[in-house]
Amino acid sequence: MKIYNVTGYLIILCYMLACMYSAPTHLGPWIGMLIGAVYFIFCWFLGGLYLADVLHLGIAHRSLDYKEWFIKVVAVVNNTFALYVDPIAWVNRHRLHHKHADHPGDPNKLSGDGFWRTLYLCVMPYQCNDNLAGDEILKSRTFRIVAHPFFAILAQVFSFYVLWKLVGDLKFALVMWVGIRIFALWVNMIQNYWTHTRNFGYRRYDDEDDNAMNIGEWLPVTATFSACLQNNHHHYPGLLRLSHDQSEYDFGFVTVKIMKYFGLVKATTRGADLPNDVPLGALNF
């Protein structure tokens, strides 16, 4: 088993054990583990929907057209109750990442950055010298409020306070609140380190200008909403499907198809244009 899988499963195991151990007496360890699992899944799924589908495919790459009310609701709910991510800064960093991938100007990671340096950069990324996030949706009042530093601080305090009041125990709430953020850091390392280091994963396209790799195992793909299929994505960043072969598991694409079913999104011309060298018979969207 690869080191990134071992690390991910260990974090989940430790999180569940910590929830059992820290659960208040009136709940007991098994109910504590169940509550911890519900909170974990809530934060993970909402965060994946927000980052991988809405910000990533919807705004950063313009692969999807979306209902404006939907994208705003997801941004506010995620950042208020789950894992806060500044939407304007994230879109800008992601576009700069594609523009300079693994080279100076990439705020996520340079080619020579190792594990510990990249871990630090997940928290304190390189400074962005350009602003590529001028989209009208990002200039809206909703996104400007969500991106404000005061909102960022208030939202994280509020999310912890709500969790504390819901479970009725400070230690139990703290374990869950910190635990899901450790898991989120692992997700960030999957995307910034393990899929941008050529010692891991596989390459479908031999693009020499970056180190993007595909990691296709169940846990990383599910946890990242398929964002760990980086070699595919960097080769065709506008394509809304990150799997380029029917054999590749693609959890993120499943979630996008479900949103389409409910009329929340539709493919843009850019997102639906299937290049000839992608070994798919059809986009199946």
Side-chain angles (χ1 to χ4, degrees), residues 55 71-72 75 87-88 137-138 140-147:
L55 290 186
I71 199 171
K72 290 179 178 179
I88 299 175
I137 186 69
L138 297 178
S140 68
R141 179 179 299 176
T142 300
F143 275 85
R144 285 187 287 110
I145 290 174
V146 170

Side-chain angles (χ1 to χ4, degrees), residues 210-276:
D210 63 49
N211 296 323
M213 308 294 290
N214 290 330
I215 287 178
E217 291 96 333
W218 180 86
L219 180 61
V221 174
T222 304
T224 66
F225 276 52
S226 306
C228 56
L229 298 173
Q230 283 284 297
N231 179 243
N232 291 350
H233 178 54
H234 273 259
H235 193 69
Y236 289 119
L239 186 63
L240 67 85
R241 179 168 176 165
L242 274 66
S243 57
H244 288 187
D245 189 277
Q246 295 293 355
S247 64
E248 290 176 328
Y249 167 55
D250 192 340
F251 179 77
F253 190 59
V254 172
T255 64
V256 172
K257 290 176 74 172
I258 292 172
M259 286 192 292
K260 180 194 174 187
Y261 176 80
F262 286 106
L264 298 171
V265 302
K266 63 180 181 179
T268 63
T269 302
R270 184 172 190 253
D273 185 19
L274 188 65
N276 293 330

Side-chain angles (χ1 to χ4, degrees), residues 193-211:
Y193 178 72
W194 281 300
T195 56
H196 278 273
T197 303
R198 295 202 185 192
N199 295 333
F200 304 95
Y202 66 94
R203 307 200 100 198
R204 179 178 303 280
Y205 306 103
D206 191 22
D207 299 332
E208 290 302 319
D209 55 339
D210 63 49
N211 296 323

Side-chain angles (χ1 to χ4, degrees), residues 39 42 76-84 150-166 173 177 181:
Y39 179 71
F42 168 77
V76 171
V77 173
N78 176 81
N79 284 311
T80 303
F81 297 102
L83 300 170
Y84 179 84
F150 179 75
F151 181 91
I153 296 170
L154 183 64
Q156 293 179 82
V157 172
F158 179 73
S159 70
F160 178 74
Y161 178 78
V162 169
L163 181 63
W164 175 20
K165 290 305 176 182
L166 283 174
W177 198 85
R181 281 155 178 79

Side-chain angles (χ1 to χ4, degrees), residues 6-170:
V6 172
T7 306
Y9 282 115
L10 277 176
I11 289 172
I12 295 172
L13 176 62
C14 290
Y15 172 84
M16 291 303 179
L17 292 175
C19 287
M20 295 177 73
Y21 176 77
S22 63
T25 305
H26 71 276
L27 292 177
W30 296 108
I31 298 298
M33 185 179 73
L34 178 61
I35 293 172
V38 170
Y39 179 71
F40 185 97
I41 292 170
F42 168 77
C43 291
W44 156 73
F45 188 81
L46 190 58
L49 196 68
Y50 171 61
L51 285 171
D53 292 346
V54 170
L55 290 186
H56 186 220
L57 296 177
I59 298 180
H61 292 293
R62 302 189 179 104
S63 303
L64 290 171
D65 278 331
Y66 43 79
K67 299 289 186 182
E68 189 168 307
W69 67 264
F70 173 69
I71 199 171
K72 290 179 178 179
V73 166
V74 171
V76 171
V77 173
N78 176 81
N79 284 311
T80 303
F81 297 102
L83 300 170
Y84 179 84
V85 176
D86 180 339
I88 299 175
W90 191 93
V91 169
N92 188 47
R93 285 200 304 270
H94 189 73
R95 287 175 174 165
L96 288 170
H97 166 64
H98 276 272
K99 182 179 179 180
H100 303 288
D102 303 311
H103 299 288
D106 183 348
N108 293 345
K109 175 185 178 295
L110 302 183
S111 184
D113 290 335
F115 178 87
W116 296 110
R117 177 63 177 171
T118 309
L119 185 65
Y120 170 78
L121 292 169
C122 287
V123 182
M124 300 291 292
Y126 289 116
Q127 184 176 355
C128 296
N129 297 318
D130 297 311
N131 182 11
L132 304 182
D135 310 60
E136 286 302 315
I137 186 69
L138 297 178
K139 296 177 182 178
S140 68
R141 179 179 299 176
T142 300
F143 275 85
R144 285 187 287 110
I145 290 174
V146 170
H148 196 280
F150 179 75
F151 181 91
I153 296 170
L154 183 64
Q156 293 179 82
V157 172
F158 179 73
S159 70
F160 178 74
Y161 178 78
V162 169
L163 181 63
W164 175 20
K165 290 305 176 182
L166 283 174
V167 300
D169 186 89
L170 180 61

